[in-house]
C-alpha cells in the first residue's frame, strides 16, 4: 500500500459519486447528495478542494467549471482504512478483527459461505506462492 487514505463519511459519499460516474462537477455532486445530506454547493466545493489537496481527486476545467475525477480507487481507500482500523482497534490482529465481525454482525448463511470460499481461495493462493520460493 502506498499512501494512507483516511476519509470522513462525507468525503466517502463524495468519492462514491466520483467512482460511479468517473467525473462530476460541484453541481452534479450537490444534486446527487441534496436529498440525503442537504449540503450547500459551497460546502461541496470546499470538500472537493480539500480532497484535491490530499491527492484524492483532480480536476479539469470545462466551460469555466471544474470537472472532478478520482485519483485514488475505492479499493485503495478500503484497504487503507481497514488496515488503520485493524492497527488502531485490534493491535494489528486480523484474526481478532474477523472474530469481532463474526460476533457483532448478523451474518446470513449465504454470506458465511462466501467468507468460507474467500478463505479457501486465499489459502489456495498462499500455497501456490509458498511452492514457488
Amino acid at each position: 500500500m502506498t499512501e494512507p487514505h483516511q476519509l470522513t463519511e462525507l468525503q466517502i459519499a463524495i468519492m462514491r459519486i466520483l467512482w460511479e460516474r468517473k467525473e462530476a462537477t460541484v453541481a452534479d455532486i450537490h444534486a446527487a447528495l441534496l436529498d440525503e445530506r442537504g449540503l450547500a454547493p459551497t460546502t461541496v466545493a470546499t470538500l472537493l478542494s480539500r480532497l484535491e489537496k490530499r491527492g484524492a481527486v483532480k480536476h479539469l476545467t470545462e466551460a469555466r467549471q471544474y470537472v472532478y475525477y478520482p485519483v485514488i480507487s475505492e479499493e485503495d481507500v478500503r484497504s487503507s482504512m481497514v488496515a488503520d482500523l485493524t492497527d488502531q482497534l485490534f493491535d494489528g490482529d486480523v484474526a481478532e478483527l474477523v472474530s469481532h465481525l463474526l460476533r457483532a454482525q448478523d451474518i446470513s448463511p449465504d454470506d458465511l459461505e462466501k467468507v468460507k470460499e474467500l478463505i479457501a481461495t486465499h489459502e489456495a493462493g498462499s500455497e501456490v506462492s509458498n511452492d514457488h520460493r
Side-chain angles (χ1 to χ4, degrees):
M1 188 180 348
T2 56
E3 180 180 331
H5 304 290
Q6 301 303 308
L7 303 179
T8 67
E9 179 187 354
L10 187 51
Q11 290 171 330
I12 291 170
I14 289 170
M15 291 302 297
R16 282 194 172 128
I17 292 166
L18 291 172
W19 289 322
E20 181 182 307
R21 297 182 182 189
K22 309 295 186 231
E23 63 181 31
T25 64
V26 169
D28 296 333
I29 294 168
H30 174 257
L33 293 176
L34 185 59
D35 289 342
E36 177 186 340
R37 304 281 181 156
L39 301 172
T42 53
T43 302
V44 174
T46 298
L47 289 162
L48 284 162
S49 176
R50 289 179 183 162
L51 284 167
E52 188 164 27
K53 286 178 185 167
R54 295 181 63 193
V57 302
K58 288 188 178 180
H59 74 270
L60 303 169
T61 304
E62 291 181 9
R64 295 179 31 194
Q65 60 179 336
Y66 287 174
V67 178
Y68 290 90
Y69 59 95
V71 177
I72 58 175
S73 72
E74 187 171 9
E75 181 58 32
D76 288 342
V77 172
R78 282 182 180 169
S79 294
S80 179
M81 291 184 73
V82 169
D84 191 54
L85 174 82
T86 304
D87 288 343
Q88 286 184 21
L89 295 180
F90 300 97
D91 259 350
D93 188 339
V94 175
E96 185 59 33
L97 168 67
V98 172
S99 175
H100 173 78
L101 291 172
L102 291 171
R103 287 190 316 268
Q105 304 290 320
D106 287 333
I107 299 177
S108 71
D110 286 345
D111 283 344
L112 193 54
E113 191 57 39
K114 288 177 188 174
V115 170
K116 289 177 184 177
E117 289 173 14
L118 290 168
I119 291 169
T121 299
H122 184 78
E123 286 175 335
S126 294
E127 289 171 11
V128 170
S129 296
N130 290 338
D131 290 345
H132 287 82
R133 285 186 181 184

